[in-house]
Amino acid sequence: MKLPILGAIAAALLANAAYANSHNPAVKSTKPVATRVAAKGHNSFTEAQARGRIEKAGYADVSKLTKNSNGIWQGTAMKDGKTVKLGLDYKGNVILR
């Protein structure tokens, strides 16, 4: 009687571990990363949070941000005296366009 229950528990634990390994977590780090490739996915950042992440990455004068159909916040900002087009994906990565 105990063996089927233990088997069911083991199967549930393995299924949960498989899901956790295949699931793509959102933000792994609080430090923004600059990249050229955006991660498509549901973006739960508010505009204010996205602006804060972009500013934390060293950009200033961030324009009004808009979210595109891929979940990427897009806008412009200043860095090193130059205006750049950028975005922020759901993982918190800053993407230069």
Side-chain angles (χ1 to χ4, degrees):
M1 181 78 172
K2 291 181 183 180
L3 190 55
I5 293 171
L6 290 176
I9 292 171
L13 290 173
L14 287 174
N16 190 30
Y19 173 76
N21 287 336
S22 66
H23 180 67
N24 195 355
V27 179
K28 288 186 176 183
S29 170
T30 58
K31 184 177 180 183
V33 176
T35 182
R36 294 257 182 218
V37 180
K40 295 178 185 177
H42 176 72
N43 194 322
S44 62
F45 287 109
T46 65
E47 182 180 356
Q49 290 169 328
R51 179 182 312 282
R53 298 266 311 174
I54 292 168
E55 289 171 348
K56 190 174 181 179
Y59 296 88
D61 299 326
V62 180
S63 69
K64 179 173 173 41
L65 300 172
T66 57
K67 195 186 309 184
N68 71 15
S69 62
N70 290 324
I72 310 299
W73 283 104
Q74 297 178 333
T76 60
M78 296 288 292
K79 186 157 187 177
D80 300 327
K82 297 178 184 177
T83 300
V84 294
K85 292 182 180 181
L86 49 70
L88 185 90
D89 67 12
Y90 79 98
K91 292 184 175 184
N93 297 322
V94 177
I95 300 98
L96 298 176
R97 302 183 290 136

